[in-house]
Amino acid sequence: MRRRAVLATAILAAVATPGIARAADPGPSVTKKSTTQLDAQAVYFVSYDGLVNNNSFQKNGLLTYKGHQYAAWYTASRHAVVARRALGATAWSTVTLSHTLKSDDSHNVISMGVSKVDGRLHLNLDSHSDGFFYVKSVAGLLDNPASTAWTSAVFGAVQTSLDGVALTSQFTYPQFIATPEGKLQLSYRVGISGNGRNALAEYDGSTWTALGEWSGSTGTYTSAHGSSTARNMYLHGIDYDVNGRLHSFFTWREQSAAVMCSSGGITNHDTGYVYSTDRGRSWRNDAGTVVGTTGGSNTVAVTDAGLVVDSLDPDHSLMNQESQSTDSAGLPHAIISYVPGRFGQCTTDYVTDRTANGRAFHLRKNASGGWQKTEIPIALGSSQRTKLVLDTYDNAYAVLPYGRIAGASKASGYTDWALLYDGGGLNAFGEVVVDETRVKADNVLSFMYQEKSSGTTPSALHVVDFALPA
C-alpha cells in the first residue's frame, strides 16, 4: 500500500510541478490491419455519380454494437443482405432478406439502427421520394450475439410502414440515431429535391411515433443572379454528443436555377447549423435562439437569422450531405467541400469542376464559441463526398474519395492536415461508408467500399480496418 501511495504522490507532483510535463497525447495515425470481403458480386451501377452500396450519407450501412459489427448491402441478384461478425474476425455471417432492389437508383440505400432499449436491429431501405421498406429483428438479438443464431428467422416481415406508422409517400434519406436513453429515432426527408422538409420519428421499444417535420421549404432566397421560393435543407448528419445535445449541420438546395451563374452548376449554398436540447422537439441556432419546433407551424426556414456558420453562394458547387461529428467536449465538427474562389467564381459543370478543383474543408466550433475553417490540402479528384472521424484524443480524420485518409491533430488546432493513407490497392469506386460507432469500441477506423467496375458488371464489396492511436 505504501509503495502505491508513494507512486501516486510522485505522479501528482510531476503533473503539478512546473517544468515537468505529462506525456503529450498522440497525433493522428492509421495502421492498416485487415481487409475482409462481404460479397464477391455486389450489385453495381453508377447513378447520380454514386453507388447504392456505398453512398456515404447512409446512417448506418456499417455499425458496431456490443463486440459485433453489422453490414448491409444489395447482391448482384439485387437481394438485400445483412451480415455480422465478431470484431476482429475475418468471416461474416449473412442473412438474405425477402426484398429486392426495385430500381437502379443510388439513393435507395440500406440504413441500419439499434434500439438499445430492446436490443433490436432496424433496417430502412430502397426509397427515393417514394415509399420505403422497413425490417426489424426480434428483441434482444444484438444484446447476446454470441449465443443468438444469425438466420432469417430472427428478422420480421418486410413492411411498408413503421409498424403501421406510414410517415409519407415521398420518403428519402433515412438516418437512424440512438438517443441517450436508448430509444431510436429516424431522420428522413419529406418531399423532393429542391422542395422538401426534414422530419423525425421515434421508437420507444414498443411503438413508433411520428414526431413531425422540423424544417421548412418556403420563403425567398435571393442571390446575385436571381431568386428562389422553394428549397430543401440537406443534412450533413444528425448526432447526439456526450452531453445529450443533438447537432445538425446542413446546406440549402434551391429549387430555382435562377440563383446560379450557370445552369451546369448546383444550387446548394451556405453551411448552416442547428442544435436541439430536448431530443429534437425544438431547434436552436448557434446563438441559442429557438428557430423551429418539430411537428409545429414554426419550422426552421431559410429566412431565419443566425443559421449560417459558413457563407457561400451557389456558384461554387458546394456538396450536400457531407459529414459531421462531435468531440469529447461536445463541440460540433463538419467536413464541407466545394470549388474555392481561387479557381474561379462560377462553376459551369458540377462534376467536372469539383473533380478538377474541389477541396474539402474542416469546419468546427472551438472552445471559445467561435467557428474555424481549415482547408484540407489534398485535391479531391472526385465529385464525391468525404467522411469525418474523430479518435479518442479528438484528432480528426477525413476519409476522402477512393479510400484515402488524411489526418490533423487536436494539438495543432487542426492546422496540420496531411495524407496518412493513399488508398493504394483498394481500387475503391469513390465514396465509402464509415462505421461511425466503431472508433469508440476499439480505436479502429473501419469502412466499407466497393471496387470499381463498368456498366452493370457486379464487383467485390469489402470492409477495411485501420488501427488508430490507442
Side-chain angles (χ1 to χ4, degrees), residues 92-428:
W92 292 81
S93 300
T94 62
V95 169
T96 301
L97 302 176
S98 58
H99 179 80
T100 55
L101 178 66
K102 65 189 180 187
S103 62
D104 285 356
D105 188 331
S106 64
H107 290 81
N108 293 32
V109 299
I110 304 174
S111 293
M112 298 184 292
V114 178
S115 52
K116 298 179 181 179
V117 67
D118 62 356
R120 293 183 194 266
L121 182 66
H122 302 250
L123 297 92
N124 190 294
L125 59 162
D126 206 1
S127 62
H128 184 196
S129 300
D130 54 9
F132 63 85
F133 299 87
Y134 168 68
V135 178
K136 70 178 182 182
S137 76
V138 297
L141 175 66
L142 305 190
D143 290 331
N144 300 290
S147 59
T148 307
W150 188 251
T151 68
S152 58
V154 301
F155 290 95
V158 177
Q159 306 179 48
T160 54
S161 68
L162 299 178
D163 295 337
V165 179
L167 299 184
T168 174
S169 61
Q170 293 183 313
F171 180 101
T172 319
Y173 304 125
Q175 296 190 71
F176 285 109
I177 325 106
T179 73
E181 299 81 18
K183 297 179 182 179
L184 185 65
Q185 294 179 321
L186 176 63
S187 168
Y188 59 98
R189 186 187 72 188
V190 178
I192 61 174
S193 177
N195 191 10
R197 289 89 60 202
N198 289 309
L200 285 172
E202 186 173 85
Y203 175 76
D204 64 5
S206 61
T207 305
W208 279 100
T209 302
L211 301 182
E213 298 173 12
W214 63 269
S215 74
S217 59
T218 58
T220 300
Y221 168 78
T222 302
S223 73
H225 313 290
S227 297
S228 175
T229 57
R231 70 209 40 84
N232 64 261
M233 175 197 284
Y234 276 104
L235 304 185
H236 289 310
I238 184 164
D239 297 278
Y240 283 98
D241 68 19
V242 293
N243 303 311
R245 178 176 288 192
L246 186 60
H247 303 261
S248 191
F249 288 89
F250 62 88
T251 184
W252 296 106
R253 176 177 294 178
E254 298 300 322
Q255 186 180 65
S256 174
V259 301
M260 295 188 294
C261 61
S262 169
S263 60
I266 195 167
T267 60
N268 295 346
H269 64 90
D270 297 317
T271 298
Y273 167 76
V274 289
Y275 70 91
S276 174
T277 58
D278 56 6
R279 306 300 188 257
R281 270 60 175 183
S282 63
W283 296 90
R284 299 174 183 268
N285 65 15
D286 187 39
T289 302
V290 174
V291 288
T293 302
T294 300
S297 58
N298 177 33
T299 51
V300 183
V302 72
T303 52
D304 286 333
L307 298 181
V308 176
V309 295
D310 188 71
S311 179
L312 189 70
D313 63 43
D315 297 335
H316 294 275
S317 293
L318 176 67
M319 175 53 80
N320 49 281
Q321 298 165 288
E322 195 103 34
S323 187
Q324 68 172 47
S325 188
T326 59
D327 64 24
S328 61
L331 296 171
H333 297 238
I335 295 289
I336 62 175
S337 66
Y338 56 88
V339 177
R342 66 179 181 273
F343 296 110
Q345 297 298 325
C346 180
T347 56
T348 58
D349 186 296
Y350 164 71
V351 172
T352 299
D353 291 340
R354 279 184 57 88
T355 301
N357 298 312
R359 297 294 187 273
F361 297 80
H362 177 212
L363 178 65
R364 68 184 181 95
K365 190 170 188 176
N366 62 32
S368 300
W371 290 92
Q372 294 180 247
K373 184 173 71 171
T374 305
E375 180 175 338
I376 300 173
I378 301 164
L380 290 179
S382 169
S383 65
Q384 296 182 290
R385 299 172 179 86
T386 295
K387 294 295 290 183
L388 175 65
V389 173
L390 299 174
D391 70 18
T392 188
Y393 301 103
D394 288 334
N395 298 312
Y397 302 81
V399 187
L400 298 148
Y402 314 119
R404 296 166 296 163
I405 305 172
S409 66
K410 179 183 179 181
S412 73
Y414 304 100
T415 60
D416 59 353
W417 282 97
L419 189 66
L420 304 177
Y421 176 72
D422 67 1
L426 298 184
N427 192 33

